[in-house]
Each structure stands twice: as structure tokens, then as C-alpha cells.
Amino acid sequence: MRYENNICDGCKQKFNEGDDIVVCPACGTPQHRECYEKNGKCVNAGLHESGFAWHGEVTTPLSKENSEKQAQENAQKLVCPTCGHENPPGSDFCEACGQKFTFFGVNLLEKEMRLNREIDEEDRLKEEVQDAQNAIYSGMGTDEDIERMIDARAKIVAPGLSKEQEQEVICSHPIKRVLVFISSNAVCYLNKFRKIESTGSLTWNWAAFFLTPYWFFYRKLYKAGTVFLSLRLALSVVMLPFMEKFQSVSESLMEAARSSTTDAAFAALYDSFLKASVPVYILSFLVLALSVVSALVADRLYKKYVTRKLTEAEQLSDPLIFSHFFLKNSAVNTLAALLSLTAVYLGPNIVMFFIQ
């Protein structure tokens, strides 16, 4: 049964589609559920003893197929812009006033109405998407929502975490948050953080040793990465001319060994080779020392970064902002590591090009 446009005897307002309506079983009076609950009974309960029965206009809802068919037919009717008369689809003239719809074989009114329907449909879809997004995030905004997000991600990063382990605090924060923030190879770094907190001793990071300064950019330690990158570039720029001289002397020495060069000339070349190799070895040793230093400080610097960022995250109560913060600062940045790698290999040549 449909009761649209009938009057509710409780609030004297018309029923609209979608209203929550209850019907009295005794007299058949429809009324808003709010009106029924407010009175605690049917609004016409005082008339029941007299045999009162509600006789309003009741409309029978169309079947789904008939409803869709009728809506389609109504949408295809051509409404005359002059007199408002509804004309059958495909009409060239208005049946009421004779207004012409077709010009040069094109029914402009029909085309305009079709475009308007497409625009309305597009707007409706956008509203549905927006409503769906609002429905998803409408209940978010509490600490419980954030904890559910952390729990879901922790099951991926570190599955099988026991209840006792969940109570542990690392970097002054719950272990699950630390695991989710580190993400890639999280358990390994967690063990290193434990060692730093318990003994205060230095740890060794093989990744930072072999991949200086790329590891720092990969772990989003951009300030430390910039320092190590600058030092590495400086050493590479200084080494480049010495390397060119060393290679030139080496080639001359090998050529002399293959030819009938006199002993005196060969000895002179060998002496030049030794002198050219000294700065190369010294600079190579400095590059190695830089890698050793980075391997020793990497874990400690990373632990400070994780602690600081998690402390900043605690100030965020909105789950959406919290999630965006994690995406921006946690896990790894492969692109930044690749860019720093490119800078190390191309930087010295670019600098020497401008110097020369």
C-alpha cells in the first residue's frame, strides 16, 4: 500500500515517499511512526468504539517492470517549450500549439532533452559516489577507528603477534604501531631497536654499508641522506681527475711492458704509477670509511626518525589524516633511492664538465 499525499491524522502533514508509516490494525489509519510513538496509541483510538474506519485514498504501487516502463515513457515525451504540452516521442510538431521541433532533419528538442537526461544522470552518479564516501567515513573519527586500522595492517606486517608481544613498547610507542610504520623488514629493525634501548651499543647495518647514501633515502631519512650524498659526491668529484691520471699511467705502463722499452724508461713509468695510485687509494679509503660510518649510525638515526614521527602521529585524531600521515612518512621510498643513485653516478661528470 502507498499513502503518498494522504494526510497523517497525528501531525496533519502529507505522507511523502520513504516516510516511516504504521497502520492501526483496528481502524486502518496510517500515521507516522513518530506520531504513533508520541501518543502511545493510534491517533484515532477514541473513535474505535464507534466503529470508525479510515477511508483515505490508497494507491497501489506499480510493479518494478511497469514502473520502469512508465518512467522511460515519461522521459521520452517531448514537452513543448512554448505551451508545455507533452507530445509523443519523435514528434516533429507540438500537437497543441504547432511549435516546430525539427530543423534541417534534426529534432533539436529531442536532442536537448536527451542531453539534459545524460547530465542529470551524471550528476546523480556523482552524488551517489559522494554519498557512498560520506557513508564510509561518517563513523570515523575516534581512537578506536585508528586502532582498528593499525590492527589490520599489523596482521600483514607481522602475522602471529602474540598478546604478550602486543604489550611491548618500542621507541616509546606500542609495538604494533612501530611495526606498521616500518613495514618493510619490520621485525629485523625491531630487534635492532631493542638492542639499542637495552644496551645502548652500536649496531651494524649491512644495507647502509653497501648502499651509502641510497639506503637513507630509501628509508625516508632525507636529511641524513643529503649529508652522506654530499660527502659521497664531493669525494667522487675530487677523485675523478686522479682516477683519469691513474688510468692513463696504468695504460702507459702496460704498453711499456709489452714493448721493448728500456729499463730506465719503464722504471720512470712505474714510479709515476705509484705516485698516481696514492691519492686514489686514499680517496677510496675515505669512501670506505664513509660507508662504515653510515652502517654504524643508520639504525640509531632510523630509530630516532621512527620515534619522532610516531609522536607526531599521536596528535592526529582523524583516521583519514592519520592514514595519509602514515603513507607519507612510513615504509620506504624507492624512487628517492633511485634518484640519489643517479646523482652519485652522473653528478661528478656534470661538475667536471662545468669546471673544465
Side-chain angles (χ1 to χ4, degrees):
M1 293 291 194
R2 300 184 60 162
Y3 298 95
E4 285 83 353
N5 297 321
N6 282 282
I7 302 297
C8 172
D9 290 344
C11 61
K12 307 305 179 183
Q13 299 294 325
K14 283 187 178 181
F15 293 119
N16 296 312
E17 186 177 356
D19 285 355
D20 190 3
I21 300 172
V22 295
V23 179
C24 175
C27 66
T29 301
Q31 52 211 290
H32 291 108
R33 183 179 298 276
E34 184 180 355
C35 297
Y36 183 86
E37 293 177 350
K38 181 180 179 180
N39 295 318
K41 57 184 177 180
C42 173
V43 295
N44 292 323
L47 304 176
H48 288 176
E49 293 183 0
S50 63
F52 169 79
W54 183 81
H55 298 288
E57 296 182 359
V58 179
T59 58
T60 304
L62 296 173
S63 65
K64 183 177 180 180
E65 294 182 358
N66 292 335
S67 178
E68 292 178 353
K69 182 178 180 181
Q70 183 176 345
Q72 186 176 4
E73 290 176 353
N74 292 334
Q76 292 177 350
K77 289 181 179 179
L78 301 182
V79 180
C80 177
T82 301
C83 66
H85 178 72
E86 293 183 353
N87 298 274
S91 299
D92 295 332
F93 297 88
C94 176
E95 297 176 340
C97 68
Q99 171 68 46
K100 186 178 180 180
F101 302 150
T102 304
F103 297 90
F104 298 103
V106 178
N107 194 318
L108 298 182
L109 179 60
E110 190 172 31
K111 186 175 182 179
E112 180 184 358
M113 294 180 66
R114 184 173 66 253
L115 290 175
N116 289 336
R117 287 196 298 270
E118 291 176 357
I119 293 173
D120 293 340
E121 179 67 16
E122 184 177 350
D123 292 340
R124 185 185 64 81
L125 291 175
K126 288 181 180 179
E127 290 180 0
E128 288 182 357
V129 172
Q130 187 62 47
D131 291 342
Q133 292 177 344
N134 293 337
I136 292 173
Y137 301 123
S138 61
M140 304 181 79
T142 63
D143 293 337
E144 290 76 8
D145 294 317
I146 293 178
E147 288 306 318
R148 282 196 292 270
M149 294 166 59
I150 294 295
D151 291 340
R153 296 183 186 182
K155 291 178 181 178
I156 300 174
V157 175
L161 200 65
S162 65
K163 293 295 183 181
E164 292 75 14
Q165 291 173 325
E166 290 181 1
Q167 304 304 317
E168 185 179 359
V169 175
I170 298 290
C171 301
S172 304
H173 296 280
I175 188 173
K176 284 194 294 186
R177 292 204 173 197
V178 179
L179 286 169
V180 171
F181 190 88
I182 298 174
S183 188
S184 177
N185 206 17
V187 176
C188 175
Y189 285 104
L190 203 66
N191 293 331
K192 292 183 178 183
F193 293 170
R194 286 196 188 100
K195 183 177 180 180
I196 293 173
E197 290 188 353
S198 60
T199 64
S201 60
L202 294 174
T203 57
W204 183 265
N205 190 316
W206 283 107
F209 175 76
F210 288 111
L211 300 174
T212 302
Y214 323 123
W215 178 87
F216 294 93
F217 288 97
Y218 182 69
R219 285 291 169 180
K220 300 184 178 181
L221 302 175
Y222 300 124
K223 290 183 180 179
T226 302
V227 172
F228 281 101
L229 176 62
S230 301
L231 294 174
R232 180 65 181 273
L233 283 174
L235 290 173
S236 299
V237 170
V238 173
M239 185 186 291
L240 195 59
F242 291 107
M243 282 296 300
E244 292 178 351
K245 183 178 181 180
F246 177 76
Q247 291 175 357
S248 177
V249 173
S250 299
E251 292 174 358
S252 298
L253 183 64
M254 294 180 64
E255 184 64 27
R258 289 193 294 266
S259 61
S260 56
T261 308
T262 61
D263 292 343
F266 185 83
L269 285 172
Y270 185 72
D271 185 59
S272 298
F273 171 78
L274 292 177
K275 290 180 180 180
S277 64
V278 172
V280 173
Y281 286 130
I282 292 175
L283 291 170
S284 298
F285 175 78
L286 291 177
V287 172
L288 178 63
L290 186 65
S291 297
V292 171
V293 172
S294 68
L296 291 173
V297 303
D299 294 330
R300 192 172 292 271
L301 290 176
Y302 190 40
K303 180 178 180 297
K304 289 182 179 180
Y305 172 79
V306 172
T307 303
R308 185 176 77 256
K309 290 301 179 181
L310 285 176
T311 301
E312 293 175 6
E314 283 187 346
Q315 311 303 319
L316 306 175
S317 59
D318 188 300
L320 287 178
I321 300 176
F322 183 89
S323 180
H324 292 161
F325 181 88
F326 256 61
L327 290 175
K328 179 181 178 181
N329 298 282
S330 65
V332 296
N333 190 338
T334 305
L335 179 60
L338 293 175
L339 291 176
S340 64
L341 177 65
T342 304
V344 168
Y345 280 93
L346 297 182
N349 293 312
I350 295 174
V351 172
M352 292 304 297
F353 174 80
F354 285 103
I355 292 177
Q356 294 175 354

